[in-house]
Amino acid sequence: MAVRAVRPVALVVAMLLAVGSYQLSNTMIAPINPAIIASLHTSAGGVGLAQTLFFLTSAISAVIVTRVSDWTGRRRALIVSLGALVVAAVISAVAPGVAVYVVSRALAGLCGAVYAFCFLILYEVMPLRQFSRALAVIAAVKSGLGGVESVVGGAIADTLGWRGVFWFMAAFALVAIVVARLVIPEVPVHGRRAMDWPGSVLIGLGLTGVLVGLAQGGAWGWADARTLALLIGGVVLLALFPLAERRHANPLIAASRLASRMSWPLLLTNVLVLAGGLGATAFVVPLLSQAAVGYGMSATWSAVVFVMPVSAIGFLTAPLAGWLAPRVGWRRLLLVGLAATVAALVVAAAGAASPVLVFAMIVVLGGFYTGLVLTALDGLGVLLSPSESRGSLTGLNTAAFGVGASAGTAVAATVLTAASGGGPPTMGAFTAALWVAAGLAAVALAVAFLIPSRGDGTVEEPAAV
């Protein structure tokens, strides 16, 4: 099957609409949660469970559906995923109670492979230099739209009610489907193969145990039997996953590949740096800025000063990473970004009492952690994937993002609670949590040196004549 001619600008726009649909389903929820709680007569735990299931199904679909797209076609899988998002948004918009709403959010998570599809399509239809630049533009949206989407969500809720936000999401995703159908080409596929159901079940249940355990551990207690059963059971199932892969003719990812330096260092780096970086920027610093023992800021000013810059600066600097990658390689950009991330977290931990110093480090993290590190991880996830199954490592790398984010929140919350003796967080507890975040990022930097440099996206310049 021949691939039709690609118009780069139109292709990137189509993919921005696709990933934007997923991003809106994620970030437009925050400002309307209070209204959902009141309207559906539920609690923070109810909407929290809905969001946990959204991230859980996102992680599972990122692994399984991305691999399936190796033989069903990327565009088809992308359109089906966006279709699930439309259906989920409509169900959320008309949900009569919290049970239906929770199910709809879990269904929305089936679009979790959208980023992976877009990265793979770009790789398969574009020259390497062009691919790196386009990937960086798409990856920029992964950190949000500078908080604009939350503002828009709040405005829609104020005028049309919270259900109007979900109708807006459905309409946006429908536009993305139409544009994807018209613009995105389908590439040749390997042909239908037997599905690796044993591996899919193991990794699905394993991720469920780990992510739900991390999400609920703070509420249930980390020594609670339910928490331990989920976490230990999840880890055991994930450990059995490579054994199942050795026995299947068409595994989600070959066990030999998973054990090689082409895979596990990247996945571990992703989990560790997300745990440190996101735990600090999305959990510890916002709490510190609003705490009485911290900076005593309002929620609005906290978001403007300490939350939005991480997303907005990353959104602006990610394309620069795409411009540099063909010259220096994604691995080198990752190492530079990680080194700067470690340094910024160390300075923030050492000067946690100073809002000016912490703000300056937030700016650094926006550029290097969000702009360079997260973009480089996405690029390497595609480039290091085996040619015969591009969706395998890319899907696992996308899922690692969710695992790291969940782990970061769990670790930060645990440190704050333990260091505060179970009472309100103290300045010492905030400092300890930032030091732990810096330590996680430092381990990520050490592991990243094991990522091979071969095939990291460097493009050789033509020799002078």
Side-chain angles (χ1 to χ4, degrees):
M1 178 173 60
V3 180
R4 70 171 184 259
V6 175
R7 293 170 292 171
V9 174
L11 181 62
V12 170
V13 169
M15 293 187 173
L16 284 173
L17 288 171
V19 299
S21 298
Y22 174 83
Q23 200 62 37
L24 292 179
S25 185
N26 177 11
T27 54
M28 288 186 83
I29 301 298
I32 65 172
N33 274 333
I36 293 173
I37 291 172
S39 176
L40 299 184
H41 307 291
T42 183
S43 63
V47 296
L49 174 61
Q51 199 66 349
T52 296
L53 292 179
F54 171 79
F55 287 121
L56 173 60
T57 53
S58 292
I60 294 173
S61 68
V63 177
I64 298 174
V65 182
T66 305
R67 179 67 176 102
V68 171
S69 73
D70 281 335
W71 55 82
T72 62
R74 313 285 186 212
R75 184 183 66 173
R76 180 185 301 175
L78 173 62
I79 290 174
V80 170
S81 296
L82 290 173
L85 187 56
V86 172
V87 173
V90 171
I91 295 174
S92 293
V94 300
V98 67
V100 174
Y101 175 72
V102 168
V103 171
S104 72
R105 291 300 292 159
L107 178 61
L110 294 179
C111 69
V114 165
Y115 277 99
F117 293 147
C118 290
F119 296 151
L120 289 166
I121 291 169
L122 290 174
Y123 180 81
E124 290 162 345
V125 302
M126 285 184 169
L128 187 55
R129 186 186 302 275
Q130 198 176 52
F131 157 76
S132 293
R133 294 172 181 173
L135 175 138
V137 173
I138 303 300
V141 181
K142 208 170 187 179
S143 61
L145 300 174
V148 174
E149 67 274 33
S150 295
V151 175
V152 172
I156 294 174
D158 288 340
T159 55
L160 302 176
W162 67 267
R163 297 180 188 273
V165 174
F166 288 102
W167 287 117
F168 177 82
M169 291 179 189
F172 193 98
L174 275 174
V175 172
I177 289 173
V178 173
V179 175
R181 182 68 182 83
L182 295 174
V183 174
I184 298 176
E186 188 60 278
V187 298
V189 295
H190 297 293
R192 192 166 186 83
R193 301 181 182 181
M195 180 62 187
D196 177 15
W197 289 116
S200 299
V201 170
L202 281 174
I203 199 165
L205 292 178
L207 287 174
T208 299
V210 171
L211 292 179
V212 175
L214 289 173
Q216 297 298 116
W220 292 345
W222 296 106
D224 185 271
R226 294 168 295 178
T227 303
L228 293 175
L230 285 168
L231 291 175
I232 295 173
V235 170
V236 169
L237 291 174
L238 291 177
L240 292 174
F241 174 69
L243 300 178
E245 297 305 88
R246 291 193 181 97
R247 299 175 179 271
H248 202 279
N250 299 300
L252 292 179
I253 183 170
S256 58
R257 186 76 183 195
L258 188 60
S260 77
R261 284 180 53 198
M262 301 293 283
S263 298
W264 72 264
L266 174 67
L267 298 174
L268 184 55
T269 298
N270 199 340
V271 171
L272 289 169
V273 74
L274 258 296
L278 201 67
T281 61
F283 191 81
V284 179
V285 171
L287 286 178
L288 170 63
S289 65
Q290 296 177 59
V293 298
Y295 314 147
M297 301 174 73
S298 67
T300 300
W301 275 108
S302 170
V304 170
V305 177
F306 292 105
V307 177
M308 288 182 65
V310 179
S311 172
I313 296 172
F315 183 78
L316 295 174
T317 56
L320 175 62
W323 179 77
L324 289 170
R327 293 167 168 78
V328 302
W330 285 113
R331 178 180 181 272
R332 186 172 298 175
L333 286 179
L334 175 63
L335 293 175
V336 170
L338 283 169
T341 297
V342 173
L345 289 172
V346 166
V347 173
S354 169
V356 174
L357 183 60
V358 172
F359 169 74
M361 293 305 100
I362 285 292
V363 171
V364 173
L365 289 169
F368 287 93
Y369 162 68
T370 308
L372 257 66
V373 171
L374 299 188
T375 308
L377 288 169
D378 285 330
L380 290 168
V382 177
L383 293 170
L384 297 181
S385 289
S387 58
E388 71 279 3
S389 56
R390 285 280 170 197
S392 57
L393 181 59
T394 306
L396 285 170
N397 196 46
T398 302
F401 185 97
V403 175
S406 297
T409 301
V411 170
T414 300
V415 173
L416 287 177
T417 301
S420 303
T426 62
M427 179 56 72
F430 285 120
T431 300
L434 287 173
W435 277 116
V436 170
L440 290 169
V443 177
L445 174 59
V447 174
F449 277 99
L450 297 175
I451 298 173
S453 58
R454 178 171 54 86
D456 71 345
T458 306
V459 178
E460 296 294 333
E461 297 291 344
V465 178

